[in-house]
Amino acid sequence: MEIDKELHEVLYFRIERTMRRLKEYTRQVLKENKYGITIDQWIILKRISEDDNGISQTDVSNSTFKDPAAITRIIDHLCKKQLVERLPVENDRRAHRLVLTPLGKDLVIEMTPLIQAIRAKGIKDLKEDEVEALKINLDKIYHSLDK
């Protein structure tokens, strides 16, 4: 059982450590390439880009596993940078759907190869079947923690 292991041997610690390294590496690469956005902003841009008809802020929050307050701040920044627009929803004055501006669409297209290269670097020493097994096992862990 993992309870008796030293912290550096615990699976969940290793997952967290890996994600922190990935985020830091990505932050450095984005800074070096002078994109002027953070990895969290990229994730939100990418998610919005996946829905041509616009997406609600709640759906962005749920699908990216980010806190609603953090999503609001990120979207505010992306709107100020003219990468995202909030468009009104018919028959609901309080609701908005988020869409990329033409500038936002261009940025997603431009950045995608760089993001793909970052992801590829992280798994370059894994065989394709190892990547698939890792996905399956991470999904199993995720679903085993359902409420």
Side-chain angles (χ1 to χ4, degrees), residues 96-113:
H96 294 88
R97 57 190 171 91
L98 303 169
V99 295
L100 295 185
T101 65
L103 186 62
K105 289 176 184 176
D106 289 346
L107 185 62
V108 169
I109 290 167
E110 183 181 337
M111 287 183 65
T112 295

Side-chain angles (χ1 to χ4, degrees), residues 51 55 62 64 67 96 122 130 136 142:
D51 196 322
I55 184 171
N62 292 339
T64 60
D67 177 70
H96 294 88
E130 291 174 319
I136 289 167
Y142 178 81

Side-chain angles (χ1 to χ4, degrees), residues 1-11 13-14:
M1 203 75 191
E2 289 211 12
I3 209 160
D4 296 325
K5 292 184 177 185
E6 291 185 24
L7 187 58
H8 69 275
E9 295 177 357
V10 175
L11 176 63
F13 181 79
R14 288 178 178 205

